[in-house]
């Protein structure tokens, strides 16, 4: 099969027939063999019934129905598990992404050898309250992830080589960082294509402003897990050592000051009168805390189920 189109959706019943017709039209024009996997993320409108009706007319339509709303990432993950196509395309259900982009995305994966191509909504039709924070968000994501050529991490329209989607796990709200997940799994050829964007035609956005706070926290934990997840002692042990050393030197300074005073028969001041005493105290306590955290981190990572899961590209047996 050439292409799997995965569409996560939450209460998008009005858009679905139009979207399905448009995708099918493009697929027929280019004679691709394809499937459309609608993942109904616990919609409370009649999205699922609409999908069943579409299936009656078009056997290429497939669907998964969640019992409740889990979020866009779990919906994508389930779609990725089901996908059969050589190239996997994801797009939002709200008709903001145009299926006319599919042939070009397909070509970039198959002919130009990209592992992942992300859409870039260069000209957006969204409110300013969304576009300005998005610019900041993308600048940070570029830095942290080390993928300097992407302008629009969270674009719903993306194309993947099948290997990519079978080897990444999208959970929580990590759909914003799929290129980063792919890069961490060893897929280095990540490209970008400018895509057309339209204003939402039906319904309203499913993500509020808290997307930006959660987005940053996710980026932070992803960075942490990908850098130190398998070797927590490297960060905590390092910080612990530095702090302990500072504390230790400060303790020596406290002792030395006291001794000098006694030596010179000056009226001895209490050790608690110098700031070094407090620096020594906090630094040594914090340093040992960091060390203990590192040890506990090591114990946890040694016992985690995927401690030895590495990305294997190919196998001969
Ligand atoms: N979506 C989903 N589960 C959710 C929230 C959203 O499957 O919990 C789908 C939604 O139906 C749409 C896509 O994710 O197909 C993108 O959502 P939306 O258009 O609301 O996001 P925005 O365009 O505002 O970033
Ligand atoms: Mg949208």
């Amino acid at each position: 099969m050439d292409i799997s189109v995965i569409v996560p959706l939450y209460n998008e019943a009005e858009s679905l027939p139009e979207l399905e017709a448009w995708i099918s039209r493009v697929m027929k024009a280019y004679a691709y063999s394809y499937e459309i996997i609608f993942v109904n993320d616990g919609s409370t409108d009649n999205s699922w019934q609409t999908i069943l009706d579409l299936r009656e007319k078009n056997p290429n339509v497939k669907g998964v129905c969640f019992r409740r709303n889990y979020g866009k990432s779990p919906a994508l993950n389930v779609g990725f598990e089901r996908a059969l196509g050589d190239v996997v395309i994801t797009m939002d259900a709200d008709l903001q992404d145009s299926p006319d982009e599919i042939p070009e995305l397909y070509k970039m994966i198959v002919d130009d050898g990209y592992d992942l191509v992300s859409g870039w909504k260069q000209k957006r039709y969204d409110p300013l309250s969304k576009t300005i924070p998005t610019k900041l968000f993308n600048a940070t994501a570029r830095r942290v992830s080390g993928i300097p050529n992407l302008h629009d991490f969270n674009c719903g329209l993306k194309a993947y080589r099948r290997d990519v989607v079978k080897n990444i796990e999208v959970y929580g709200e990590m759909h914003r960082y799929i290129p980063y997940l792919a890069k961490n799994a060893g897929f280095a050829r990540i490209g970008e294509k400018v895509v057309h964007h339209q204003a939402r035609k039906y319904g309203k956005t499913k993500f509020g402003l808290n997307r930006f706070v959660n987005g940053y926290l996710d980026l932070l934990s992803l960075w942490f897990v990908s850098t130190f997840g398998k070797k927590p002692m490297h960060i905590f042990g390092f910080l612990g050592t530095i702090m302990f050393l500072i504390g230790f030197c400060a303790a020596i300074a406290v002792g030395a000051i006291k001794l000098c005073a006694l030596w010179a028969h000056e009226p001895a001041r209490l050790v608690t009168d110098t700031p070094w005493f407090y620096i020594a105290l906090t630094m040594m306590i914090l340093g040992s805390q960091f060390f203990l955290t590192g040890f506990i981190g090591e114990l946890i990572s040694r016992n985690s189920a995927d401690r030895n899961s590495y990305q294997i590209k190919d196998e001969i047996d």
Side-chain angles (χ1 to χ4, degrees), residues 92 94 96 200:
D92 291 353
D94 53 5
Q96 290 195 275
R200 215 179 216 283

Side-chain angles (χ1 to χ4, degrees), residues 12 72 92-97 121 126 130 197-198 200 204-207 211:
E12 312 277 7
K72 191 176 175 185
D92 291 353
D94 53 5
L95 294 164
Q96 290 195 275
D97 303 326
K121 296 163 292 198
D126 278 320
K130 188 158 143 195
H197 185 238
Q198 297 158 85
R200 215 179 216 283
K204 59 178 179 5
T205 178
K206 307 298 185 297
F207 298 97
R211 76 168 89 197

Side-chain angles (χ1 to χ4, degrees), residues 64-120:
V64 179
C65 185
F66 285 171
R67 204 176 290 279
R68 70 169 177 88
N69 177 244
Y70 285 100
K72 191 176 175 185
S73 293
L76 285 174
N77 203 48
V78 165
F80 287 164
E81 282 169 6
R82 303 279 191 287
L84 300 173
D86 299 330
V87 171
V88 176
I89 309 255
T90 57
M91 61 166 60
D92 291 353
D94 53 5
L95 294 164
Q96 290 195 275
D97 303 326
S98 156
D100 289 333
E101 310 280 355
I102 292 176
E104 188 58 34
L105 289 169
Y106 178 80
K107 253 189 239 126
M108 288 178 78
I109 300 279
V110 173
D111 298 337
D112 305 343
Y114 284 105
D115 292 320
L116 187 164
V117 180
S118 180
W120 174 15

Side-chain angles (χ1 to χ4, degrees), residues 126-147:
D126 278 320
L128 271 186
S129 62
K130 188 158 143 195
T131 49
I132 291 174
T134 297
K135 281 219 161 72
L136 265 167
F137 158 84
N138 278 304
T140 321
R142 271 199 295 278
R143 280 244 129 153
V144 176
S145 68
I147 309 174

